[in-house]
């Protein structure tokens, strides 16, 4: 059964509070229908609002298009100097005749992959996406299948892609949580290619266009990533800001217009980099708490993490931080040192911020017959309460 255990050694069903009272509300309010923000260094969740609702990605699907291309470059299967031909399909569906975001690639022209990447990351070019898709996979449908397959490989379990552009299509879906995690993956794994997202303008076919990301012009340390809009999900954005050594990544959707999108994204990201302090609450090998043991030579086993435990603490709302040790228990003896036992869960407001696995800090052998009998009696008396 799932048990909650305090650090303080209270009863097994006790609640550990790092604060004075359990939080019951968000620390930040946003007009976005869905929002999710993480610390880039640790992956700690700083804010979450309806983050797992499935939505059409719109142009934010291009982040996955770029991930597939970046992975091919990193693995050596492609280079930035590889060239691709602009097909009539790419020209009509994503080029000048389409009336959508485009880099104005000429029909049947040959374009270097690096230029196509800049067209997509700076100008959200639909023709650039389709040219890459057809060049890498033979057709956009084949490439979309690769996008979905690659999404599963990097841990995105709900995102499904039908095309490379994000243009409306049945079955195409994602969530703001997975969009933020995708952005984090791109930043971590492709530092030499991520830089294109911070490029402020790009000229192609003698046409110069500024980056569509409004955050880049705000002088807040933004260097990415993308915007999108659809009739069903409203205006959305995935943004990244670095300030004084802290980087946060946020994804938002369901905003009313491009002005609201820009302002709400700025406020959330600015709050993220200024409102938290990273604090080490347990040193390496320090005991975090204890789990109840059933049938053991001792009634409890000390727990510790693999390394130091650091948390992000709100600077001005410290009473909104709570934590619990959660485990399936009581843990049956024998217990081996290093055995996975539970998880330290930390909340910021009502957002589950981080989860740290906890392990047995010692070995506990099987207890004597009287000890086991006493544990059995205790479990019979109070086990149903869990």
């Amino acid at each position: 059964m799932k048990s909650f255990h305090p650090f303080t050694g209270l009863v097994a069903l006790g609640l550990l509070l790092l604060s004075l009272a359990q939080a019951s509300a968000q620390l930040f309010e946003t007009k976005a229908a869905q929002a999710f923000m993480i610390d880039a260094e640790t992956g700690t969740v700083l804010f979450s609002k309806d983050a797992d609702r499935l939505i059409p990605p719109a142009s934010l699907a291009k982040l996955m298009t770029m991930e597939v291309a970046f992975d091919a470059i990193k693995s050596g299967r492609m280079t930035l100097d590889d060239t691709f031909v602009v097909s009539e399909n790419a020209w009509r569906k994503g080029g000048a005749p389409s009336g959508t975001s485009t880099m104005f690639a000429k029909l049947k022209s040959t374009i270097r992959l690096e230029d196509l990447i800049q067209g997509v990351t700076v100008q959200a070019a639909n023709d650039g996406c389709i040219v890459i898709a057809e060049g890498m996979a033979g057709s956009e449908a084949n490439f979309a299948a690769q996008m979905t397959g690659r999404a599963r490989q990097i841990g995105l379990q709900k995102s499904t892609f039908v095309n490379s552009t994000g243009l409306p299509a049945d079955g195409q879906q994602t969530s703001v949580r997975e969009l933020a995690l995708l952005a984090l993956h791109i930043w971590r794994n492709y530092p030499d290619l991520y830089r294109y997202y911070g490029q402020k303008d790009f000229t192609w076919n003698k046409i110069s266009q500024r980056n569509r990301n409004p955050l880049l012009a705000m002088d807040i340390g933004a260097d990415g990533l993308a915007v999108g809009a659809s009739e069903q999900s409203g205006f959305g954005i995935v943004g990244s800001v670095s300030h004084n050594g802290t980087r946060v990544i946020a994804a938002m959707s369901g905003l009313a217009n491009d002005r609201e999108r820009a302002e709400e994204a700025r406020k959330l990201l600015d709050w993220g980099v200024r409102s938290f302090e990273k604090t080490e609450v347990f040193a390496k090998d320090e005991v975090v708490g204890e789990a109840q043991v059933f049938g053991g030579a001792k009634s409890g086993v000390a727990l510790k993490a693999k390394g130091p435990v650091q948390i992000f603490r709100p600077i001005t709302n410290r009473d909104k931080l709570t934590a619990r040790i959660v485990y399936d228990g009581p843990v049956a003896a024998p217990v081996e040192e290093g055995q996975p036992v539970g998880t330290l869960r930390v909340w910021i407001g009502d957002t589950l911020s981080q989860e740290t696995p906890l392990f047995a800090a010692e070995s506990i052998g099987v207890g004597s017959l009287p000890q086991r009998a006493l544990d059995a009696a205790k479990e019979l008396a109070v086990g149903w309460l869990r």
Side-chain angles (χ1 to χ4, degrees), residues 210-373:
R210 292 191 62 79
N211 197 306
R212 292 173 177 266
N213 183 354
L215 298 174
L216 300 185
M218 293 182 180
D219 195 28
I220 58 173
D223 56 11
L225 285 106
V227 295
S230 73
E231 184 175 343
Q232 184 176 349
S233 60
F235 287 72
I237 188 169
V238 176
S240 181
V241 165
S242 179
H243 177 75
N244 288 342
T246 296
R247 176 179 292 274
V248 295
I249 294 173
M252 310 176 79
S253 184
L255 292 153
N257 50 56
D258 54 1
R259 180 177 297 180
E260 184 174 87
R261 172 177 61 192
E263 181 61 15
E264 290 297 301
R266 181 197 64 76
K267 289 192 295 186
L268 179 61
L269 288 161
D270 197 44
W271 175 76
V273 295
R274 298 177 186 276
S275 299
F276 297 88
E277 57 184 5
K278 186 163 63 173
T279 304
E280 183 175 297
V281 291
F282 295 101
K284 181 180 179 181
D285 294 327
E286 185 176 356
V287 172
V288 174
E290 187 178 84
Q292 184 180 353
V293 174
F294 177 81
K298 293 176 61 177
S299 61
V301 58
L303 304 178
K304 65 180 181 180
K306 288 294 187 182
V309 177
Q310 296 178 324
I311 62 172
F312 280 76
R313 181 166 56 186
I315 293 174
T316 58
N317 296 91
R318 296 188 179 187
D319 62 325
K320 300 299 185 182
L321 186 71
T322 63
R324 304 173 185 169
I325 294 173
V326 181
Y327 64 97
D328 288 325
V331 182
V335 180
E336 295 294 328
E337 183 178 355
Q339 175 182 324
V341 173
T343 304
L344 173 63
R345 294 180 180 172
V346 178
W347 280 263
I348 298 174
D350 58 7
T351 295
L352 178 58
S353 176
Q354 63 192 86
E355 297 183 278
T356 303
L358 298 177
F359 305 85
E362 56 186 330
S363 295
I364 305 292
V366 174
S368 64
L369 184 59
Q371 287 174 316
R372 284 179 283 162

Side-chain angles (χ1 to χ4, degrees), residues 9 13 17 38 46 50 59 72 104 118 162 186 188 221 224 259 278 282 305 316 336 349 381:
L13 295 179
L17 298 183
I38 50 180
L46 302 178
D50 203 12
S59 199
F104 298 99
Q118 291 175 90
V162 179
I186 291 172
R188 283 180 173 173
R259 180 177 297 180
K278 186 163 63 173
F282 295 101
T316 58
E336 295 294 328

Side-chain angles (χ1 to χ4, degrees), residues 43-379:
T44 298
V45 179
L46 302 178
F47 183 82
S48 181
K49 178 183 179 182
D50 203 12
D52 296 309
R53 180 178 295 276
L54 295 177
I55 57 172
S59 199
L60 298 175
K62 294 178 173 72
L63 291 171
M64 196 71 236
T65 298
M66 289 294 92
E67 198 288 328
V68 174
F70 290 173
D71 178 61
I73 293 169
K74 184 177 180 178
S75 67
R77 290 180 284 120
M78 295 198 316
T79 73
L80 291 173
D81 290 323
D82 286 348
T83 58
F84 298 94
V85 176
V86 181
S87 69
E88 183 169 350
N89 177 61
W91 178 71
R92 289 193 181 279
K93 287 174 62 176
S98 70
T100 65
S101 303
T102 179
M103 62 186 291
F104 298 99
K106 290 183 178 179
L107 177 62
K108 297 183 180 179
S109 64
T110 300
I111 306 179
R112 290 174 65 246
L113 178 56
E114 183 176 23
D115 293 325
L116 291 167
I117 288 172
Q118 291 175 90
V120 175
T121 56
V122 177
Q123 301 164 349
N126 289 321
D127 47 358
C129 287
I130 299 171
V131 171
I132 290 173
E134 292 177 342
M136 287 186 63
S139 72
E140 192 175 10
N142 288 343
F143 186 81
Q146 289 186 18
M147 292 168 67
T148 300
R150 181 65 182 157
R152 299 296 176 271
Q153 289 177 13
I154 64 175
L156 309 184
Q157 298 304 316
K158 298 180 180 180
S159 296
T160 301
F161 300 95
V162 179
N163 58 45
S164 64
T165 59
L167 291 171
D170 290 342
Q172 190 147 257
Q173 63 184 26
T174 188
S175 68
V176 292
R177 182 190 300 271
E178 294 202 346
L179 286 170
L181 294 176
L182 172 57
L184 175 62
H185 169 85
I186 291 172
W187 175 76
R188 283 180 173 173
N189 289 277
Y190 312 111
D192 293 339
L193 299 168
Y194 174 83
R195 62 184 174 85
Y196 292 115
Y197 284 107
Q199 188 172 317
K200 293 189 175 181
D201 55 63
F202 180 58
T203 300
W204 182 256
N205 198 14
K206 298 182 180 180
I207 299 173
S208 182
Q209 299 183 72
R210 292 191 62 79
N211 197 306
R212 292 173 177 266
N213 183 354
L215 298 174
L216 300 185
M218 293 182 180
D219 195 28
I220 58 173
D223 56 11
L225 285 106
V227 295
S230 73
E231 184 175 343
Q232 184 176 349
S233 60
F235 287 72
I237 188 169
V238 176
S240 181
V241 165
S242 179
H243 177 75
N244 288 342
T246 296
R247 176 179 292 274
V248 295
I249 294 173
M252 310 176 79
S253 184
L255 292 153
N257 50 56
D258 54 1
R259 180 177 297 180
E260 184 174 87
R261 172 177 61 192
E263 181 61 15
E264 290 297 301
R266 181 197 64 76
K267 289 192 295 186
L268 179 61
L269 288 161
D270 197 44
W271 175 76
V273 295
R274 298 177 186 276
S275 299
F276 297 88
E277 57 184 5
K278 186 163 63 173
T279 304
E280 183 175 297
V281 291
F282 295 101
K284 181 180 179 181
D285 294 327
E286 185 176 356
V287 172
V288 174
E290 187 178 84
Q292 184 180 353
V293 174
F294 177 81
K298 293 176 61 177
S299 61
V301 58
L303 304 178
K304 65 180 181 180
K306 288 294 187 182
V309 177
Q310 296 178 324
I311 62 172
F312 280 76
R313 181 166 56 186
I315 293 174
T316 58
N317 296 91
R318 296 188 179 187
D319 62 325
K320 300 299 185 182
L321 186 71
T322 63
R324 304 173 185 169
I325 294 173
V326 181
Y327 64 97
D328 288 325
V331 182
V335 180
E336 295 294 328
E337 183 178 355
Q339 175 182 324
V341 173
T343 304
L344 173 63
R345 294 180 180 172
V346 178
W347 280 263
I348 298 174
D350 58 7
T351 295
L352 178 58
S353 176
Q354 63 192 86
E355 297 183 278
T356 303
L358 298 177
F359 305 85
E362 56 186 330
S363 295
I364 305 292
V366 174
S368 64
L369 184 59
Q371 287 174 316
R372 284 179 283 162
L374 180 59
D375 284 351
K378 289 180 181 178
E379 186 66 16

